[in-house]
Amino acid sequence: MTNDTGGDQRQVRVKKIERLRDAGVNPWPERFERTHLLDQARALPEGTDGVRVCGRIVSMRVMGKLSFASLQDQSGRCQIWVQLDKVGEEFYKQVWKKLFDIGDHIGVVGSMTVTKTGEPSVAATEMVFLGKALRPLPEKWHGVQDQETCYRQRYLDMIMNRESVERFMLRGKIIRTIRGFLEGHAFEEVETPVLQTKPSGATARPFLSHHNALDMDITLRIAPETWLKRCVVAGYDRVFEFARCFRNEGMDPSHLQDFTMLEYYAAWWNYEDNMRFTEQLLQHVLMECLGTLEVDLGGEKVDFSGEWPRVSFKDLILRDAGIDIFEEDTADGLRARMSEQGITLEDTDVNKLGYGALVDQLYKKVSRPKLTGPMFLVDHPIGLSPLARRNDDNAEITDRFQLVIKGWEIVNAYSELVDPIDQRQRLEDQAALKDAGDDEAMPLDEEYILAMEYGMPPMSGWGMGIDRLCCLLSNQENLRDVVLFPLMKPT
């Protein structure tokens, strides 16, 4: 056995492949019949016979007639106990000791025993080689600590760092729990197009491509919103989608260009109904996945119980910037007031932004980083919400809320705009902004307005960044830590 991490280790291991074949061992057999995952085997009573486990060798201690090794699978680790007189002298000395390496996959048949130190172990009576690793694993005690390596070679990160495995298991459980809760409340899951002729459903810069077969320019979707609303026009009462979305914008710890968005829409609801349901949904997720409503977020305990506070957009910016966004209700006026207050926006040409986009950037600059949450941000200006329903009592604001937790926007929700005449006017205003240089403004989508004109019921819906939610609940600070294989610039 060799566990040298030098550059010649691959060559040494390649040579072992032929030696395995010469010994009658297939280096890469097609299957192995397993009876238990490793964590299940550890829980078996001592003396249980006929145990068949498999996994990757992550440590080995080989002696004259007795060896110990640790196997690892998705569930965890379990020790195996290899004795010369149980597996045969020829196999033990010529195959096990000389041709097996850390990183190899093996299967073990045997019975459960407990060592003198109290460690549950599978005492091997038969060992099956299941796959040769040509490269050695990182050193046991150092593991994979470099963050960039964790992103580029996630498989090494997960082999060496159990906490990474548990983080992605938590992500899967969060998604399953959300899906189950929605289905339990009569929501239907659907799939909508990723390739689109126009970006829609959000104000964002899209990725552009070309469809060769149809010889037309297309975009990758920035949100599934307008397609899910078409489903409601078609007769769905409640509909949802876990949608892969793409926005060709800046990258930082809370933003990725390629991300997972959950969106749902419920006919006959308004945004107040939606807020109550959102509280119930996320409180259910917390209890099912974490077992508590008091969550440690970056060393600070955040209480998710009860009814979460509601704060108006106007009051928040007035408090943090000293600007009344409804008094400064034009882009020029707001720019001038921001200049008076000494507020600048980095990496943004404010002269190209319309009023709504400017308000949004102002909020992100002066208010959002200060929010801990959970908190519902309500009463958004009409120019910031081209797809949201206008408030009946105040035409300057929309029936909209955002859920903010620890400075991150987790949910964006509306009482949806279902008036096609109002919608056309707002999209025409957005299109004018786009023509004036605002890359994030929405284009006019005639096909969506056509669907609206066939009649939309009152409804409310929202979009939630799944990556952000998982990042928060696993106490991470970077979205790439909860994405299995984040996009990286080639080395």
Side-chain angles (χ1 to χ4, degrees), residues 384-402:
L384 193 56
S385 313
L387 297 176
R389 183 180 184 275
R390 194 184 301 268
N391 184 268
D392 289 337
D393 298 322
N394 183 352
E396 293 182 321
I397 63 174
T398 57
D399 291 339
R400 175 184 177 187
F401 71 84
Q402 290 171 291

Side-chain angles (χ1 to χ4, degrees), residues 300 316 319-320 360-373 404-409:
E300 181 178 359
L316 194 65
R319 181 195 73 186
D320 296 329
D360 188 46
Q361 292 299 319
L362 175 62
Y363 152 69
K364 291 174 179 176
K365 168 76 174 186
V366 303
S367 297
R368 191 173 69 180
K370 302 175 184 178
L371 303 177
T372 299
V404 183
I405 304 172
K406 199 185 173 186
W408 284 11
E409 294 167 0

Side-chain angles (χ1 to χ4, degrees), residues 36-292:
H36 299 85
L37 294 171
L38 292 175
D39 67 339
Q40 296 170 338
R42 286 179 58 87
L44 293 173
E46 186 175 7
T48 301
D49 204 0
V51 177
R52 300 175 63 91
V53 295
C54 52
R56 184 190 295 273
I57 302 172
V58 291
S59 68
M60 297 175 73
R61 184 157 53 97
V62 178
M63 297 169 284
K65 296 183 179 181
L66 175 67
S67 299
F68 295 95
S70 182
L71 292 191
Q72 177 174 289
D73 68 7
Q74 176 177 302
S75 70
R77 295 185 178 186
C78 183
Q79 181 172 270
I80 62 168
W81 184 355
V82 187
Q83 289 180 278
L84 179 148
D85 61 350
K86 293 292 182 64
V87 299
E89 182 174 356
E90 179 71 16
F91 179 87
Y92 187 89
K93 290 183 176 180
Q94 301 302 320
V95 180
W96 166 248
K97 291 183 70 172
K98 295 182 178 181
L99 304 181
F100 283 51
D101 289 294
I102 290 175
D104 292 346
H105 286 92
I106 66 170
V108 178
V109 182
S111 60
M112 290 307 300
T113 187
V114 178
T115 66
K116 292 180 181 179
T117 60
E119 181 67 23
S121 305
V122 180
T125 57
E126 180 186 350
M127 302 181 70
V128 181
F129 200 88
L130 296 177
K132 190 66 181 169
L134 298 186
R135 297 183 183 272
L137 297 177
E139 295 179 20
K140 174 182 177 183
W141 300 113
H142 295 90
V144 179
Q145 302 299 326
D146 178 70
Q147 198 63 63
E148 184 167 338
T149 299
C150 289
Y151 296 152
R152 291 186 182 277
Q153 296 177 279
R154 181 69 78 189
Y155 46 89
L156 284 183
D157 172 34
M158 296 179 72
I159 290 169
M160 302 305 297
N161 300 320
R162 182 63 194 176
E163 61 270 22
S164 294
V165 176
E166 292 173 350
R167 186 164 67 249
F168 287 103
M169 293 293 184
L170 175 62
R171 179 187 172 109
K173 186 174 184 180
I174 289 169
I175 292 172
R176 289 193 302 274
T177 302
I178 292 172
R179 177 177 278 115
F181 190 85
L182 292 174
E183 290 176 343
H185 287 78
F187 281 82
E188 293 285 340
E189 186 169 10
V190 299
E191 294 180 335
T192 63
V194 174
L195 302 181
Q196 304 182 354
T197 56
K198 290 183 178 180
S200 65
T203 53
R205 185 181 295 116
F207 281 93
L208 307 177
S209 187
H210 185 79
H211 195 299
N212 289 336
L214 297 178
D215 190 23
M216 65 180 187
D217 292 334
I218 57 172
T219 70
L220 300 185
R221 76 171 161 208
I222 57 177
E225 177 171 341
T226 61
W227 296 95
L228 291 173
K229 289 178 178 177
R230 287 171 170 91
C231 291
V232 178
V233 172
Y236 281 94
D237 244 21
R238 301 178 181 183
V239 64
F240 75 98
E241 180 177 13
F242 286 94
R244 203 73 179 168
C245 297
F246 308 87
R247 299 182 182 181
N248 198 2
E249 300 178 333
M251 178 184 291
D252 61 38
S254 65
H255 292 85
L256 292 177
Q257 288 73 37
D258 174 6
F259 62 97
T260 301
M261 172 91 76
L262 166 65
E263 287 205 16
Y264 72 61
Y265 295 89
W268 324 117
W269 284 8
N270 67 9
Y271 80 112
E272 293 279 357
D273 300 316
N274 203 349
M275 270 195 279
R276 288 188 290 271
F277 184 78
T278 300
E279 285 176 343
Q280 296 168 14
L281 168 62
L282 291 180
Q283 287 169 348
H284 173 76
V285 169
L286 291 175
M287 289 305 300
E288 288 294 313
C289 297
L290 302 181
T292 180

Side-chain angles (χ1 to χ4, degrees), residues 1-10 12-13 101 135-137:
M1 179 203 67
T2 307
N3 193 33
D4 177 26
T5 57
D8 63 347
Q9 180 55 213
R10 184 179 184 278
V12 171
R13 293 190 177 208
D101 289 294
R135 297 183 183 272
L137 297 177

